[in-house]
Amino acid sequence: MLAIQHASGFIGNGETIKDVTILIEDGKIQSIGENIHIPPNYDVIDASGKVVTPGLIDVHTHLGVFEQGVGKEGHDFNETSSATTAEIRAIDGINPFEKGLEDARSSGVTTVQILPGSANVIGGEMAIVKTAGTVVDEMIVKEPSGLKAATGENPKRVHGDKGKMPTTRMGVAALLRKKLIEGQNYLNERESEKIGRNLELENIAKVLRKEIPLRVHAHRAEDIATVLRLKREFDIELTIEHGTEGHLMADYIAKHNVSIAVGPTMTSRSKVELENRGWHTLTAFADAGVPFAITTDHPVVTIDHLITSAIMGIKYGLPEATALQALTLNAAKHIGIDHQVGSLEVGKDADVVIWNGDPFDLRNCVVTTILNGKVVYSHTL
């Protein structure tokens, strides 16, 4: 049991708290308010002069499957033997001892979604985990949390360079359609008990039944339009991952009830798809009412720069409250777990970060990270 006294800061939903007590029991927030009695058996953290926020969430990472400091042996995020590998599950490749997860905790990031890479048109299933633990199965918040797909240059380069489909954007879209149709046929045949199990099509069927969303890597405007076209054609739930040129069509995107994971904007313009990348994408989505989260795409931009990405968005016009929600409650909504994390509310997981000052001042840092009611990182200034 834990109590945080004199807590001031941000709830995560756009509102603030000032000089309150937060009681935590059994990994959950038990109560928040003024003049709350703290039972004698509670450990107490004094947050006077500090700033409290919910644990940060990165909705699009390759933590644990693209290990830092290891080399090729740690690159377990792309199964490039085929252009479609829906049967792959990220959970089978996550190393819970990977250094990036330590960096996450020290940076106030308590929840991440871990995805296969974007080499394939369909890359496989993803999982949402907490950033502390020694056994992945005990870290899981939700699994599967979506099926990864990718448009654009990556599948063209990886498979087209081998002389295999897809070699064009048309080919990428056609292959994705083909697999979705195979999934529809599989569902019909399975219902009539004509065929046995097929793991690849079984995972695609989860998208068609709206059990999980399709999460589609799309940078350029034409790829975003293709993704939205597929959403209409197959009546599926999906999110757009990256959305780099989404500012060119923000009003159009707003008509489609879709959330976007924006980033990694801090990276260089290393390929044609990133030519128009910039912080204006965030403000354009905010102005158009498009729900979005901010991502590092770790390790493209390392996880410790998740808050830095929000700060850069603020520098270029994003309101602070909107920026924080893109790392907390809106991020939780993007991955479908806002009932559990993303804001400091009674009944939710006790994922709390205490900063030594304004988190939007890059000179400040995390002093305490609490995950499921336990201190998983502590820094003495």
Side-chain angles (χ1 to χ4, degrees), residues 12 53-61 63 104 107-114 128-131 141 261 292-296 303 306-307 323-343 348-349 351 353 355:
T53 70
L56 306 185
I57 302 167
D58 194 330
V59 301
H60 184 121
T61 80
L63 283 157
S107 305
V109 181
T110 54
T111 304
V112 295
Q113 184 169 233
I114 299 174
I128 301 168
V129 303
K130 295 295 182 75
T131 57
V141 178
F292 66 91
I294 295 174
T295 178
T296 61
I303 193 72
L306 183 61
I307 190 67
L324 183 68
Q325 287 179 76
L327 307 183
T328 54
L329 190 57
N330 282 357
K333 290 177 180 178
H334 182 88
I335 54 179
I337 57 170
D338 52 297
H339 63 286
Q340 185 173 345
V341 297
S343 57
K348 287 193 173 184
D349 290 358
D351 296 348
V353 183
W355 308 73

Side-chain angles (χ1 to χ4, degrees), residues 109 122 148 154 186 209 219 230 292 310:
V109 181
I122 301 178
K148 176 70 179 293
N154 284 9
Y186 173 77
R209 288 196 296 257
H219 283 284
L230 290 167
F292 66 91

Side-chain angles (χ1 to χ4, degrees), residues 16 25 27 36 40-41 44 59 68 70 73 82 103 125 145 195 203 210 215 224 336 339 346 349 352:
T16 60
E25 184 175 354
I36 291 179
N41 57 335
V44 178
V59 301
Q68 297 183 87
V70 176
E73 293 80 5
S82 171
D103 294 340
E125 289 186 340
S145 57
I195 58 171
N203 287 353
K210 297 185 178 182
R215 302 193 187 274
I224 295 171
H339 63 286
V346 172
D349 290 358
V352 186

Side-chain angles (χ1 to χ4, degrees), residues 159-170:
H159 299 284
D161 286 356
K162 300 175 184 176
K164 299 178 180 179
M165 187 175 184
T167 63
T168 65
R169 279 181 160 74
M170 295 178 293

Side-chain angles (χ1 to χ4, degrees), residues 118 150-157 166 168-169 172 217-220 223 273:
S118 55
T151 61
E153 296 301 317
N154 284 9
K156 282 173 55 184
R157 171 179 52 81
T168 65
R169 279 181 160 74
V172 171
H217 166 116
H219 283 284
R220 287 176 55 157
D223 292 328
E273 294 176 308

Side-chain angles (χ1 to χ4, degrees), residues 78-85 87-88 119-120 158-159 162 164:
N78 276 316
E79 177 59 53
T80 58
S81 56
S82 171
T84 59
T85 55
E87 64 269 33
I88 297 302
N120 300 342
V158 172
H159 299 284
K162 300 175 184 176
K164 299 178 180 179

